[in-house]
Structure formats: structure tokens, C-alpha cells
Amino acid sequence: MGMNNAIKARRAGHFKSSSLVPGAMLISVVCSGVLAAPLNFVNEALPRGFNFRLGFNYHQVGAGNMLADLDNDGDLDILIAGGQGGLIGLFENDGTGNFTDRSFTSGIAPMVNASGLSAADYDNDGDLDIHIPGWFVPSKLYRNDGNLTFTDVAAEAGVDLSAPSMAAAWGDYNQDGWLDLYATVRTFTDGVEIENHFYRNNGDGTFTDVATQLGVHAPGDPSCLPAFFDYDRDGDDDIYIGTDKGSDDPDGLLLHNKLYRNNGDGTFFNATYEAGVEAYIFCMGIAVGDMDFDRHFDMYLTNIQQGNILYMNNGDRTYRDDTIAAGMESLRVGWGTVFADFDNDTHLDNYVCNIQGANRLYRGKDVSQWPLADEAPEAGVDVFWDVYCVSVGDIDGDNDLDMLVGNTNRRANLFINHSTDAGKNNWVRLQVEGTQMNQQCVGACVEVDAEGKTQTREVRSGTNYKSQDEFTLHYGLADAEKISEVRLYISGSQMRVLKNMPVNQEWTLYTPDRLGDVDMDGVISVDEIRAAMLARTGPGVTLTPGNEIFDMDGDFDIDSDDIQLMGLGVYTPMPR
């Protein structure tokens, strides 16, 4: 397979210096032994009631998994595809990270060759619905009916795509408050010429495919997966597409990843070459996160044995390839991958699912101290089997991040985080909440300033490879005892600034149009003002979690200033 000059140079650089890699790895391990305790995970699937055996998932190259609150009770439930006989498993969390199997009462039918999983409130009724692409079988859209029961409405919604479809993601590209759905198709598999679909949400329970109209259908590409994220931080979600069989061979097909920049007016521009992210690889996984605290999102892409790619965002709509510097080539057949701060030290770690080789866990640290070391064996997460998918979230409510990791012809893994540093370091968790129009605030970016570092996260729906992470934004803070400022960005605007947020709490971060409006009726009523007065703390006294909706000025107390703002209607909800 041909490669462009930049990729060739990177490969040459890797092999030229490969004799130094063991030494670098040793230094990294020694440093982490002095500076940090090893990461530590334990597979507690069976003791916690999660007993799910995956079947033969090679046809659709892996079946997805999900960590999401599907019953609105404040904890993460599990949804996982690819069981024997096409079973899709649903497990209810009791609030402590122990599970009850609800698979046979969920209404989610067995689905042979079910592919990815994603969650989104497509109908804006306040609960999460489920989308499941099908590999040569019709895709499903399960409407959440409450009480962990679901009804398939894909046909009536117009999203029952039947194609070699692998993954999908959700984003509000036209910012109308209704989440839209991008579904990839591995075009030309077995001669199928169907291309990617981009379903615009019509707001009435139906969707219209506008991929070709908007020029984002990636014509002729065997697309594996999409990712919505705001790569240029202009306030709207862009679309990045991972393409299989990448090549720039002049005598063959020109296949590479695609980046479609959102122009902010409902149209897109193909910014792939301008940004330098074409990546002529077999792209199977996309992790998105800010590794260097510069407020811009970096990307890690998995590949076959020729090596994964780490693209660092330059902050000017371009990227650079820093794979060698980071030591993250991996050189295995990679699939799902995710950024997460597993030890709460502020640095993003990276987990990589592999087939034909053990999974990897790259321990994050300052860029000046790169390369990173693979600590999967020490952490107990070096699954040596054919693994495609991973989801991340706080499963057991102890304020560190755990992992749901798939398998093939084996039981799925539930890795509970017992890392010493995760319990020692400070943290904060933020649940962003808006009105009924995109209540989970998919696409919102939140910056947290503490001890001279800015950490940036984005609420995303449909992540890495065929999987769904929790919607709550998790920030490790190391030894920072105070968060100086938090900034919430939605639709291109800085919506709120909060000061002096206390650490070691999970806070709900409300959009301005929700402040004071507990019942979401668009009006701050006398009863709501009375409720705020009952929750009143006085100046400088930190409010109790659960009363954030009355903190009108974002200073974490409820005093006369907040009551006055509610009465004046300063933050009365904006037009919907």
C-alpha cells in the first residue's frame, strides 16, 4: 500500500530509532514508580451480576457496547450487542455498580449482525433512545418508553438503513435543538454501492437523508465510523470520518479519512487537506481529547500493524503528527480507543482495543516527558483476545472512571478502577443540562481552570468505535483544591462563567435558559423563587449539590443576588 511522504517519514523515523524504545519504556516505568502508583483495574463482571457472553462477531467486525443512564435514575446502565444468537444485553445498575439482567423484558429484539450502539434523545422527551446500525440487516432506532422498555421506530422514522453499516454518531449540525444522525456505510463491501447517510432530524419523529445534498457522504469510501466534535472551537460540531483501506497509491484507489468543517449555516466544507488529517490508514477507531491543555481537541486513530496515528491540534485549524514523540504507534491491529483520566492526575490516558495482540493502556503525562508507556499489563487490562469495543464511565459511583470492554467468543469485561492515585487525587464531574431541546447538551464544550491548567471536554453521543461513553464530563484535578473558573460554550457562544467551583463533587451545570426554571415551563414562577429562598445559603456559603439551578450568578452560593435575578427575570428562558 502506498503512503504519502509524511507517513513514510514517520515510519522511517520509528524503525530507525526502534532500538531505543525499550530504554524509553524502562525510564517511563521507573519514573511512574517514583511519581505515581500503578494503575489498577479488576474485572468484576461476574461478581457484579454482569454475565454476558459475546458470540462470533467477525462478520460485522465487532459489536458495540454502551454505558448510559437509560432509566434516568442517575447511574450507568449497560447495553451490549453481539450476544449468542444475536442477543442484545441490557443490565440495570442498582446505583452501586451491581447489575440486574433486563435483556428479556426490554423490547430490544435479538439482532444478528448488530453493529454499533449510540444513545441520544432524538425526540426531546427527556430520556435516551438507542440507535443500532445493522451489518446487511436493517438498522434499528429504539424509542425509550420508560422503565427500561423500548420500541423500534426505525421504519417510521426513516432510518432503517439496510447496508454494511458499522457505526453512527449524533450531533445538532444546524443548531435547531434536534439531534441529527450520521451513519457510516462500508461502501463497496460485497458490491454494495450505498454511501454514508446523514439524517437531518425533522423534529416530528422522522428524519431526512441530506448527506449528498450537503456533500458529506464521502463518495466511494468504505467508511468505518464518524465522530462529531468541534475541532476548530467555533461553536458548532464538525464531522470526521474514519475510512478503511486507506491508500494514496497513484495506481490504485485514493482512500483516506475525511474532515467536514461545519460552516455554521447548515453547510459543510471539506477541510481534510487543509487540516492535514487525511491519514492514509485502515482507520477503525477515533479517540478525541485535549492532551496538552491548549483548549483544542486532538485525535488518536487506530490502524493495522503499520501503526496508529496521534494528530495534535495546532489551534489554527491544522494538525501535526506527533505519534513518534508520544510513543503511541502501537503496531498492532487496533480498533476501539478512548481518552480518559483514569488516575485523576489531569493527564488523559488512552486505552486501545486490539485483535491479534493484547490491548494497550498508555499512561498520560506532560508533553515534555513523552513518550508514554503502555501500562496495560501492570493495570490488569491487557486483554489478549480479539477485542473491538470499549466504553468508559463511573460505573460504581466512586468518582473514578471504569471500563466496559468487549470480547469475541468470550465473556465481556467490566474493569472496575481501583487505582490508588484515582482515590488520592481530586476531581470534579459535570452534568450539563439544558431545556427539553437537546437536554443532554450534546455538542457543549466545558473548560475547567485549576492550578494553571485548562481542561476541555465536549459532550458527545456515539464515541470511539461503535460505542457510547457516559455523558457526564469527568475531570481529574491532581492536588488542586479549588477550580478558579469554569466556562460553558454552546452554539458558538460562551454561555456561562462560574467561579470558585468546589472540588470532589458532581455538579449539574445548567444552561442560562434553565436557570431558576425547575419545571422547564419557560417561566420562573413564584413557587420556584420560594424554593430558591428555602435553599438559600447566604453569601459565600457553598450551596448543596442539587440546588445549582438557583445559582443564577455562578458563584456557588444562593443569596439575595440570585433571588433578585430570578425575580427580575434576567435569565428567563430564551425563545425555543
Side-chain angles (χ1 to χ4, degrees):
M1 182 183 73
M3 292 180 288
N4 65 16
N5 291 334
I7 299 294
K8 289 176 180 177
R10 181 164 67 81
R11 301 289 185 243
H14 170 82
F15 291 111
K16 182 177 180 180
S17 60
S18 60
S19 62
L20 300 178
V21 171
M25 294 284 283
L26 179 60
I27 291 170
S28 177
V29 170
V30 170
C31 288
S32 63
V34 172
L35 300 176
L39 293 171
N40 179 28
F41 291 83
V42 177
N43 185 4
E44 299 182 11
L46 293 181
R48 291 181 176 271
F50 175 57
N51 184 2
F52 190 82
R53 186 179 181 89
L54 289 114
F56 185 92
N57 293 311
Y58 295 109
H59 292 305
Q60 71 271 47
V61 284
N65 45 232
M66 174 188 298
L67 290 173
D69 183 6
L70 297 175
D71 53 2
N72 279 347
D73 65 351
D75 52 44
L76 295 176
D77 309 300
I78 292 174
L79 191 72
I80 184 167
Q84 294 176 318
L87 178 67
I88 297 176
L90 175 60
F91 293 83
E92 180 184 7
N93 193 329
D94 69 354
T96 67
N98 292 288
F99 294 88
T100 300
D101 190 346
R102 305 296 188 196
S103 307
F104 298 100
T105 59
S106 68
I108 301 176
M111 183 178 176
V112 176
N113 292 347
S115 200
L117 295 177
S118 61
D121 185 8
Y122 84 93
D123 52 0
N124 282 335
D125 67 349
D127 51 31
L128 292 172
D129 312 294
I130 298 165
H131 181 262
I132 310 175
W135 185 255
F136 287 101
V137 296
S139 298
K140 303 293 184 182
L141 177 62
Y142 281 100
R143 184 188 64 219
N144 193 329
D145 298 325
N147 197 29
L148 291 178
T149 60
F150 299 82
T151 300
D152 178 24
V153 295
E156 61 192 72
V159 296
D160 55 336
L161 172 66
S162 187
S165 185
M166 299 181 70
W170 298 81
D172 184 8
Y173 85 94
N174 55 3
Q175 299 181 357
D176 64 352
W178 297 91
L179 291 176
D180 312 296
L181 175 67
Y182 194 102
T184 55
V185 177
R186 197 174 182 279
T187 307
F188 294 132
T189 300
D190 292 349
V192 173
E193 297 184 7
I194 298 172
E195 295 173 330
N196 296 348
H197 282 45
F198 190 19
Y199 294 106
R200 183 186 65 216
N201 193 328
N202 298 322
D204 60 0
T206 68
F207 294 79
T208 300
D209 179 22
V210 293
T212 302
Q213 172 187 330
L214 296 177
V216 296
H217 53 305
D221 284 4
S223 299
C224 281
L225 73 162
F228 280 103
F229 69 101
D230 188 3
Y231 90 97
D232 54 0
R233 292 302 310 276
D234 66 348
D236 48 45
D237 263 345
D238 312 292
I239 307 172
Y240 191 67
I241 310 296
T243 302
D244 198 5
K245 309 297 182 186
S247 173
D248 66 347
D249 188 344
D251 298 320
L253 291 174
L254 182 68
L255 295 175
H256 56 74
N257 291 0
K258 301 286 195 300
L259 173 62
Y260 296 110
R261 185 175 70 227
N262 192 329
N263 294 323
D265 59 358
T267 65
F268 289 86
F269 170 75
N270 188 340
T272 310
Y273 289 107
E274 172 188 289
V277 291
E278 53 268 35
Y280 299 93
I281 61 175
F282 290 48
C283 185
M284 283 88 80
I286 304 171
V288 177
D290 180 11
M291 294 186 73
D292 55 359
F293 309 103
D294 69 349
R295 304 173 60 244
H296 288 86
F297 294 115
D298 313 305
M299 289 191 291
Y300 184 66
L301 315 175
T302 57
N303 187 20
I304 58 175
Q305 296 97 328
Q306 290 178 333
N308 301 342
I309 292 180
L310 174 64
Y311 279 134
M312 297 296 291
N313 195 321
N314 294 318
D316 60 359
R317 290 185 170 179
T318 69
Y319 284 80
R320 65 185 183 276
D321 182 344
D322 273 2
T323 317
I324 295 299
M328 297 176 68
E329 272 211 314
S330 187
L331 302 176
R332 292 177 180 166
V333 182
W335 294 88
T337 180
V338 63
F339 284 120
D341 184 359
F342 291 116
D343 52 4
N344 287 336
D345 70 345
T346 75
H347 299 289
L348 290 178
D349 312 301
N350 179 264
Y351 191 69
V352 187
C353 297
N354 295 309
I355 63 172
Q356 303 171 18
N359 291 0
R360 294 193 186 277
L361 175 54
Y362 291 105
R363 186 80 171 268
K365 56 186 176 182
D366 284 330
V367 173
S368 62
Q369 298 175 356
W370 284 6
L372 308 181
D374 173 20
E375 297 187 16
E378 295 86 351
V381 292
D382 57 331
V383 183
F384 195 93
W385 199 246
D386 289 349
V387 180
Y388 292 97
C389 298
V390 55
S391 299
V392 170
D394 182 9
I395 292 169
D396 53 356
D398 65 349
N399 307 305
D400 57 32
L401 295 176
D402 313 296
M403 288 191 289
L404 170 62
V405 178
N407 222 325
T408 303
N409 294 326
R410 293 287 193 281
R411 287 190 177 91
N413 305 279
L414 194 63
F415 287 117
I416 302 300
N417 192 343
H418 293 282
S419 303
T420 300
D421 288 346
K424 180 180 66 176
N425 289 327
N426 294 326
W427 51 272
V428 73
R429 288 169 56 80
L430 302 179
Q431 180 76 38
V432 187
E433 188 171 322
T435 67
Q436 285 183 315
M437 304 296 287
N438 189 10
Q439 188 172 343
Q440 289 78 25
C441 291
V442 173
C445 290
V446 181
E447 298 173 352
V448 170
D449 292 349
E451 294 293 334
K453 287 182 178 178
T454 298
Q455 297 187 58
T456 306
R457 306 278 191 269
E458 181 175 8
V459 183
R460 299 177 59 216
S461 177
T463 51
N464 63 78
Y465 178 71
K466 297 188 175 185
S467 299
Q468 176 71 56
D469 297 333
E470 68 173 354
F471 283 91
T472 302
L473 303 177
H474 182 99
Y475 303 78
L477 298 172
D479 57 359
E481 297 182 355
K482 203 73 173 179
I483 297 168
S484 57
E485 186 168 289
V486 174
R487 294 175 296 277
L488 167 64
Y489 295 85
I490 296 178
S491 302
S493 301
Q494 180 176 288
M495 303 294 287
R496 287 192 73 190
V497 177
L498 298 91
K499 302 283 188 178
N500 299 317
M501 175 182 283
V503 303
N504 297 336
Q505 292 282 358
E506 179 169 330
W507 300 105
T508 299
L509 187 57
Y510 291 99
T511 58
D513 51 356
R514 274 300 311 281
L515 286 172
D517 185 16
V518 178
D519 58 8
M520 289 192 292
D521 67 350
V523 178
I524 298 176
S525 67
V526 172
D527 287 340
E528 286 162 334
I529 293 175
R530 287 175 180 155
M533 294 179 70
L534 288 174
R536 183 171 177 166
T537 66
V541 179
T542 302
L543 59 83
T544 302
N547 290 319
E548 299 94 317
I549 198 165
F550 301 125
D551 181 18
M552 307 295 288
D553 55 7
D555 61 357
F556 285 90
D557 62 26
I558 302 172
D559 58 15
S560 58
D561 291 338
D562 301 296
I563 306 299
Q564 183 179 19
L565 287 171
M566 289 181 68
L568 292 173
V570 172
Y571 289 102
T572 297
M574 296 179 292
R576 300 179 181 176

